[in-house]
Amino acid sequence: QVQLVQSGAEVKKPGSSVKVSCKASGGSFSSYAISWVRQAPGQGLEWMGGIIPMFTSSNYAQKFQGRVTITADESTTTAYMELSSLRSEDTALYFCARGRLGGYDSDFDYWGQGTLVTVSS
Amino acid sequence: DIQMTQSPSTLSASVGDRVTITCRASQSITSWLAWYQQKPGKAPNLLIYKASTLQSGVPSRFSGSGSGTEFTLTISSLQPDDFATYYCQQYNSSPYTFGQGTKLEIK
């Protein structure tokens, strides 16, 4: 059974960066995409980008290009999402999710528990 | 980007009711559509993928249909555990976009 366990809640100042981790266990890590999806308070779901660990490149939503970096460490089966230049609108619950299919174009069958990132001065 | 529009935004229903939620895509996504259930503070749970395929472990009262630009999620007989928010998601092309959600409330 695949499990995704995320790092704990963060409180950050505007203009700073945050890095959230997502530790995978069970199943194959390298060949399935791990995506990051965020949800602002009371709002819907927003896909930010993803990575297929066995490849070196990531796939980002245009909205977050230049501000988000998604990486993966195959040796520890952990994916990371770093978001920079934080602003109050980035306050949200951030989820990692595994693609059910082999490539980026996929629905998501396993999800982390979510990491709350609060941006406040 | 492909826009996904769900209707209604809120739906009030009773245990035992049959309910339908609609999701429309701004362009054809063939059958690359998923449905999720989400409860407050929890991660979404995959119910349906490829428009009509039931995810393993999901009760058979959930069903999906549609192709192209119009899709529906139907719950045949509402159970107390079904009161939640439902999202559709297209994975035809990046960025993978979600509908705004449909909150299913107890009448």
Side-chain angles (χ1 to χ4, degrees), chain A residues 35 37 39 43-47 59-62 93 95 100-101 104-114, chain B residues 32 34 36 38 41-46 48-50 55 87 89-100:
Chain A
S35 281
V37 176
Q39 186 169 39
Q43 303 300 309
L45 301 164
E46 183 174 35
W47 181 80
N59 180 17
Y60 300 125
Q62 184 72 22
L93 192 55
F95 295 101
R100 186 181 53 82
L101 301 174
Y104 285 115
D105 296 349
S106 183
D107 46 69
F108 307 117
D109 56 355
Y110 293 100
W111 294 69
Q113 82 276 19
Chain B
W32 302 118
Y36 300 88
Q38 187 181 34
K42 301 295 187 183
N45 181 46
L46 178 65
I48 302 277
Y49 61 88
K50 210 174 177 189
Q55 170 71 341
Y87 293 94
Q89 176 228 340
Q90 67 82 17
Y91 51 104
N92 180 78
S93 60
S94 176
Y96 310 110
T97 45
F98 295 83
Q100 81 278 14

Side-chain angles (χ1 to χ4, degrees), chain A residues 3-14:
Chain A
Q3 273 199 309
L4 302 176
V5 179
Q6 298 181 222
S7 49
E10 303 263 13
V11 179
K12 294 292 183 180
K13 300 282 189 193

Side-chain angles (χ1 to χ4, degrees), chain A residues 66-101:
Chain A
R67 245 186 6 118
V68 69
T69 304
I70 296 173
T71 56
D73 183 339
E74 291 184 81
S75 68
T76 60
T77 63
T78 302
Y80 300 90
M81 185 283 298
E82 184 170 22
L83 187 63
S84 62
S85 302
L86 290 169
R87 36 215 188 222
S88 59
E89 310 90 89
D90 294 317
T91 294
L93 192 55
Y94 288 77
F95 295 101
C96 61
R98 195 193 81 157
R100 186 181 53 82
L101 301 174

